[in-house]
Amino acid sequence: MNRKTQQEQQTRFPQHAPLGRRRLRNAQFAGLATLAAAGALLAIAVIAPAQAAENADAADASPLHLSGNLGVVSQYVFRGTTQTNEKPALQGGFDLTHDNGLYAGIWMSNISWISDTNPAASASLEADLYAGWKPAVTDWLNADIGVLHYAYPGSYPGGMTKPDTTEIYAGLDAKWIAFKYSYSTGNTFGNANTSGSSYADLSVNHELFAGISGIAHIGRQRYTGPNSPALSYTDWKLGLTRDFSGYVLGLAYTDTNTADAGYTIRGKNIGSSQVVLSLNKTF
């Protein structure tokens, strides 16, 4: 971004104009990934109502399943960094799945980090489009492969690297423990020349007692490019959740080892320790 001071230029989202050919290639890949996710979502959305309309009994036995989710959090923390300047967020989305493991969906949340970093930019929404396949390897092990596009619609000043990011991912889920590796195909969250950046995520989710589940997570965000030492970091999280008749209440503590030089926005390190309270409902 066009920052006025050297310190601001070293924030999490420094801006440098990418090479034209590379930018075109990345934009084309991101566009194709977005269209693929949206296309898969649209295709299933068209098929599901048609099958349901044929016969009510057949709809009950349909291999296609539609679900939605809605939640509110005291703040939106993504990979250990606050996306809403420690302010609340309203979040929600829809998922379409097939019994063969195929899925597609959309998820959205309000954000503020873009305008917090560069007041000349106007973008207050994150919209995630994703599609993938989660086949059963055994009766206790599932694989997961797919593509996810983070879209940040809004207006941006000239010369600013847009934060839209596309990642392809692969993972394994063994009931209560899961590992996922994500690989960025182009500029990553507004950082120029960072194609090939990655995120490794190891999570444990297990019921402890009386319907209370414990969550433990550690992740490693690795950036490529000239600013990689200041941008790469490790994050971790510990939390508890409790299901109250379909309403899931959660409490989590998050922290990172983000460098001040790479993640200071408005005088605060957005990767500092945070406490997040959440309430979610799936329908």
Side-chain angles (χ1 to χ4, degrees):
M1 296 179 182
N2 297 324
R3 308 306 293 154
K4 296 181 180 179
T5 67
Q6 182 179 2
Q7 180 180 1
E8 289 174 328
Q9 287 175 346
Q10 293 176 335
T11 59
R12 179 187 176 189
F13 311 105
Q15 301 301 325
H16 305 280
L19 296 175
R21 182 177 300 176
R22 184 173 185 178
R23 186 172 186 176
L24 176 61
R25 184 186 69 234
N26 292 337
Q28 289 173 335
F29 194 102
L32 288 173
T34 304
L35 288 175
L41 184 64
L42 179 60
I44 299 177
V46 170
I47 294 171
Q51 290 185 340
E54 290 179 3
N55 188 290
D57 294 334
D60 292 336
S62 172
L64 292 164
H65 311 281
L66 173 66
S67 64
N69 59 87
L70 185 65
V72 60
V73 293
S74 59
Q75 64 171 310
Y76 173 23
V77 174
F78 172 70
R79 295 180 180 173
T81 61
T82 179
Q83 308 291 286
T84 52
N85 195 24
E86 302 180 348
K87 294 180 175 59
L90 180 64
Q91 304 173 333
F94 293 94
D95 291 284
L96 285 163
T97 61
H98 193 280
D99 287 345
N100 63 12
L102 289 172
Y103 63 87
I106 184 172
W107 183 87
M108 294 175 286
S109 176
N110 61 283
I111 58 163
S112 66
W113 66 263
I114 296 174
S115 57
D116 290 339
T117 306
N118 190 336
S122 176
S124 58
L125 175 70
E126 175 185 324
D128 301 345
L129 291 169
Y130 50 90
W133 182 42
K134 195 168 187 178
V137 179
T138 68
D139 57 356
W140 57 270
L141 180 66
N142 292 319
D144 188 9
I145 55 175
V147 59
L148 191 158
H149 181 68
Y150 301 88
Y152 300 92
S155 60
Y156 298 91
M160 176 178 174
T161 302
K162 291 185 178 180
D164 289 11
T165 301
T166 299
E167 293 181 337
I168 54 176
Y169 58 84
L172 291 172
D173 185 347
K175 291 190 176 179
W176 51 270
I177 184 169
F179 176 78
K180 183 177 179 181
Y181 179 82
S182 302
Y183 179 91
S184 177
T185 63
N187 290 329
T188 307
F189 301 117
N191 296 289
N193 304 319
T194 53
S195 177
S197 298
S198 62
Y199 185 73
D201 174 4
L202 180 64
S203 299
V204 175
N205 190 335
H206 191 63
E207 183 173 351
L208 301 177
F209 58 89
I212 297 176
S213 294
I215 301 171
H217 151 85
I218 186 168
R220 176 65 181 175
Q221 177 71 67
R222 185 188 67 85
Y223 275 93
T224 60
N227 292 326
S228 60
L231 294 175
S232 300
Y233 67 94
T234 300
D235 74 283
W236 53 92
K237 174 174 126 175
L238 292 173
L240 298 170
T241 63
R242 176 69 161 85
D243 191 329
F244 294 94
S245 302
Y247 292 88
V248 179
L249 182 65
L251 178 66
Y253 170 84
T254 70
D255 203 356
T256 74
N257 65 350
T258 50
D260 289 342
Y263 290 87
T264 297
I265 298 178
R266 291 190 173 184
K268 295 188 298 185
N269 187 325
I270 63 172
S272 60
S273 59
Q274 306 289 348
V275 174
V276 181
L277 183 65
S278 61
L279 180 64
N280 293 277
K281 170 69 175 177
T282 298
F283 51 89

